[in-house]
Amino acid sequence: SSEVLEAIENVIQGVLQSLAQNKAPVLTVANRTDWRNIEFKDSVGLQMIPRSTTKQIRSDCPQSAKRFALMLKILSMIYKMVQSNTYATKRDIYYSDTLLFGSQSVVDQIINDISCMLKIPRRSLHVLSTTKGFVAGNLSYTEEDGTKVNCTCSSTVCIINHKDLNTKDLTSRAKFMLIVEKDATFQRLLDDDFFNKVSPCIMITGRGIPDLNTRLLVRKLWDSFQIPIFTLMDADPHGVEIMCVYKYGSVSMSFEAHHLTVPSIKWLGLLPSDLERLNICKDALIPFTKQDQNKLASIQKRPYIACQPLWKKELEVMAASKLKAEIQVLTSLSSDYLSRVYLPNKLQFGGWL
């Protein structure tokens, strides 16, 4: 906490020095979303280059004066929270003055800018994501306050929150982890008692694009157990993108890649080639939209696809067919095909990329 306070004090000192010299104060932040500032490393994923281009948020420019003021406002809030050892979600910060901030996305972007500017991980700023991820399966741990949590009972689904990231006594007999894209599929696998039937495993869902806590937990479990991690996603560009966020990280959070990515993650399904292999009826597939085509073209150009020739082939299959499918399409074969046939066969015979 002293490091965070000192980093904020240095920023404010710079503002005061500018004012003392009759200069307009300026905050300098890295261009987080510029691909020219990003490099790809097999062992880490997408990370920000050391000397990235920056942008200035000036206090004397009409276009940036409000953003400058909002950054100081949020820095002040963070400083008080770190001092008093209290926490707030990004949503709490937005609702503390909705008229001032204007929108939740403004708050989210500023917090990420501050984290990048101070070179301090976001969780150390005492700002939490609104929790949405779930974990279940062969996992138990003790929270900071001594509460014992056991996810092994099939009826126990634990919400992933910041307390899970400071847990101790993490224990598991899991042979692998399964990251599931959607909550509906996750719940279906729970109903089928999947994580006990095949072999002990840990199941996680970020319920779509994963929040920071879910990504941090996946990384923590990987560091703790070093077991294989598989992803179960829809066979569409959106599903591929979500899988890439877990595996390689996102451009906007590339400055924190070392804490968030697990490059050893494998693509288990639903593979575009599976649709033909399993003779899925064409009527059950969904035609691409223009947005799907653009998303897929963008993914195919990314630096990490070049080092994944088998992924590249699957994306070419998807691009050629211009068709996508949700995991639920497997119910057209039988209601429990996913848990009874598809996943056991994939895991037993190595059907992952």
Side-chain angles (χ1 to χ4, degrees):
S1 61
S2 59
E3 188 188 335
V4 180
L5 296 176
E6 189 182 341
I8 295 173
E9 285 162 7
N10 288 339
V11 170
I12 302 305
Q13 200 169 8
V15 170
L16 293 174
Q17 281 172 349
S18 296
L19 290 171
Q21 296 163 6
N22 285 324
K23 293 179 184 171
V26 170
L27 296 174
T28 304
V29 298
N31 275 324
R32 289 185 298 107
T33 55
D34 190 335
W35 274 94
R36 289 170 297 181
N37 286 336
I38 311 298
E39 65 179 356
F40 170 65
K41 264 193 171 178
D42 282 13
S43 58
V44 180
L46 300 176
Q47 61 177 10
M48 192 169 274
I49 58 175
R51 294 186 179 180
S52 54
T53 59
T54 57
K55 58 185 177 184
Q56 290 193 325
I57 299 169
R58 303 187 60 86
S59 58
D60 61 346
C61 170
Q63 283 82 14
S64 61
K66 183 176 180 183
R67 195 169 188 87
F68 179 92
L70 293 181
M71 283 189 78
L72 289 191
K73 167 75 173 169
I74 292 177
L75 277 168
S76 158
M77 295 172 82
I78 290 169
Y79 192 87
K80 284 173 188 164
M81 287 192 297
V82 174
Q83 266 189 325
S84 59
N85 196 28
T86 55
Y87 290 82
T89 63
K90 293 185 292 183
R91 204 162 176 75
D92 293 335
I93 291 174
Y94 168 59
Y95 279 108
S96 69
D97 199 332
T98 54
L99 286 176
L100 177 67
F101 293 119
S103 74
Q104 181 69 62
S105 63
V106 168
V107 172
D108 296 353
Q109 287 167 17
I110 287 176
I111 288 164
N112 284 342
D113 276 341
I114 286 172
S115 175
C116 187
M117 177 177 72
L118 300 179
K119 294 185 170 56
I120 288 171
R122 198 176 78 193
R123 62 195 179 284
S124 300
L125 302 178
H126 286 226
V127 179
L128 310 172
S129 300
T130 306
T131 293
K132 64 173 190 151
F134 292 151
V135 59
N138 198 287
L139 177 68
S140 56
Y141 54 84
T142 308
E143 289 180 350
E144 276 183 311
D145 61 3
T147 306
K148 293 195 183 301
V149 179
N150 186 355
C151 307
T152 307
C153 171
S154 60
S155 61
T156 306
V157 175
C158 301
I159 296 171
I160 300 168
N161 60 43
H162 76 283
K163 290 187 285 188
D164 299 338
L165 310 173
N166 300 316
T167 54
K168 52 191 180 184
D169 304 333
L170 268 172
T171 55
S172 176
R173 292 183 298 103
K175 301 292 184 224
F176 64 92
M177 269 191 274
L178 183 66
I179 298 172
V180 182
E181 178 185 349
K182 286 179 177 168
D183 187 28
T185 309
F186 180 84
Q187 299 295 341
R188 178 65 207 242
L189 290 172
L190 280 180
D191 290 345
D192 291 347
D193 199 24
F194 171 76
F195 61 75
N196 287 321
K197 277 182 181 166
V198 179
S199 68
C201 75
I202 299 168
M203 294 199 318
I204 288 176
T205 180
R207 298 162 76 197
I209 296 169
D211 61 347
L212 190 66
N213 289 339
T214 304
R215 291 170 64 187
L216 284 165
L217 183 65
V218 169
R219 177 58 195 251
K220 184 181 175 92
L221 294 175
W222 161 248
D223 287 338
S224 301
F225 304 124
Q226 300 279 307
I227 53 177
I229 305 180
F230 302 109
T231 59
L232 181 62
M233 305 280 151
D234 288 342
D236 66 14
H238 190 64
V240 174
E241 172 129 272
I242 289 171
M243 174 173 56
C244 291
V245 168
Y246 283 107
K247 186 175 173 76
Y248 296 124
S250 58
V251 174
S252 63
M253 293 293 286
S254 58
F255 62 93
E256 257 204 80
H258 286 82
H259 308 290
L260 295 172
T261 59
V262 185
S264 61
I265 282 173
K266 305 293 183 195
W267 186 3
L268 186 69
L270 185 64
L271 302 179
S273 60
D274 287 339
L275 302 175
E276 195 171 327
R277 182 177 62 82
L278 297 171
N279 290 320
I280 301 289
C281 173
K282 282 270 170 73
D283 293 345
L285 305 180
I286 307 162
F288 261 27
T289 63
K290 185 68 180 162
Q291 194 180 10
D292 291 326
Q293 287 179 10
N294 294 341
K295 171 76 76 184
L296 182 57
S298 154
I299 293 170
Q300 286 176 303
K301 289 177 194 157
R302 291 183 192 170
Y304 43 71
I305 297 300
C307 71
Q308 290 280 2
L310 295 176
W311 283 33
K312 196 177 174 188
K313 276 187 184 171
E314 291 293 334
L315 298 184
E316 285 166 0
V317 169
M318 199 188 289
S321 73
K322 291 192 171 65
L323 294 168
K324 59 185 181 178
E326 296 183 335
I327 298 159
Q328 286 88 331
V329 78
L330 296 176
T331 58
S332 65
L333 302 173
S334 75
S335 62
D336 59 350
Y337 191 85
L338 176 65
S339 59
R340 185 177 53 84
V341 181
Y342 182 82
L343 289 175
N345 282 351
K346 284 258 176 178
L347 292 162
Q348 186 178 348
F349 300 113
W352 58 79
L353 308 179

